Amino acid sequence: VERISSASDVKDVLKKNTNCNIIRNIIEHKYQYDMNTSVDEIRPNYNKFYCSCKNSVPQAIICALEANSFEDALRNAVSLGGDSDTLACMAGGLAQICFNIPQKIIKKATFYMDENVKNIIGLFYGCLREKTQKSYESIVWQKNNYDR
């Protein structure tokens, strides 16, 4: 549960702050992760598969924080080696909060998806829109009933 909360907190911190030093300090203080390294400092000794959050989550966050674009965050993560697909997934998920995913990447990824995957993604976004609409309707209903 702590790690799920951690991911949610990181997302909220990224949405509210643009200063990388503030974000690093919040994450370091709250989760005792070492956030004082750079991608260049991590790279030489990282080319391993780690099974713990402390050896993958901070590194992915650093990859996202040091990026100049969505694609740069992915490149940072892949350059570390090891379980780079997982690192890139985490770094990309965080980076998309700060940067738009380029249309060329979306288009290329969609090209490789079979119809089943495209349908699942469509259903997911449909449910997300429906949930968002229901949440909005619930907020409006509550406001209208409490204002009486």
Side-chain angles (χ1 to χ4, degrees), residues 13-43:
V13 168
L14 281 171
K15 282 184 174 180
K16 294 175 186 171
N17 295 283
T18 55
N19 184 313
C20 291
N21 290 327
I22 292 172
I23 295 168
R24 284 176 189 256
N25 288 336
I26 291 170
I27 294 168
E28 187 167 55
H29 176 73
K30 187 162 185 173
Y31 300 102
Q32 289 77 49
Y33 286 150
D34 178 10
M35 300 298 294
N36 292 314
T37 56
S38 68
V39 172
D40 288 337
E41 293 169 326
I42 296 168
R43 194 176 293 114

Side-chain angles (χ1 to χ4, degrees), residues 38-139:
S38 68
V39 172
D40 288 337
E41 293 169 326
I42 296 168
R43 194 176 293 114
N45 300 314
Y46 192 78
N47 198 7
K48 298 177 185 167
F49 284 82
Y50 293 101
C51 296
S52 68
C53 291
K54 71 179 180 130
N55 288 316
S56 59
V57 173
Q59 292 77 6
I61 295 169
I62 290 167
C63 287
L65 292 177
E66 288 190 13
N68 296 316
S69 67
F70 177 80
E71 200 168 356
D72 195 32
L74 298 180
R75 283 192 183 111
N76 284 343
V78 170
S79 76
L80 295 182
D83 194 8
S84 59
D85 59 328
T86 301
L87 287 170
C89 183
M90 290 187 284
L94 295 171
Q96 64 87 31
I97 296 168
C98 302
F99 309 105
N100 289 328
I101 301 173
Q103 284 300 312
K104 68 179 182 176
I105 291 177
I106 293 171
K107 188 174 181 178
K108 191 72 164 180
T110 304
F111 174 79
Y112 289 107
M113 293 177 195
D114 66 23
E115 288 306 311
N116 188 38
V117 172
K118 290 178 188 176
N119 289 336
I120 291 169
I121 291 171
L123 289 170
F124 173 78
Y125 280 110
C127 289
L128 193 60
R129 277 191 295 276
E130 183 178 312
K131 183 177 179 183
T132 302
Q133 181 62 31
K134 284 182 181 177
S135 295
Y136 173 76
E137 290 168 358
S138 174
I139 292 167

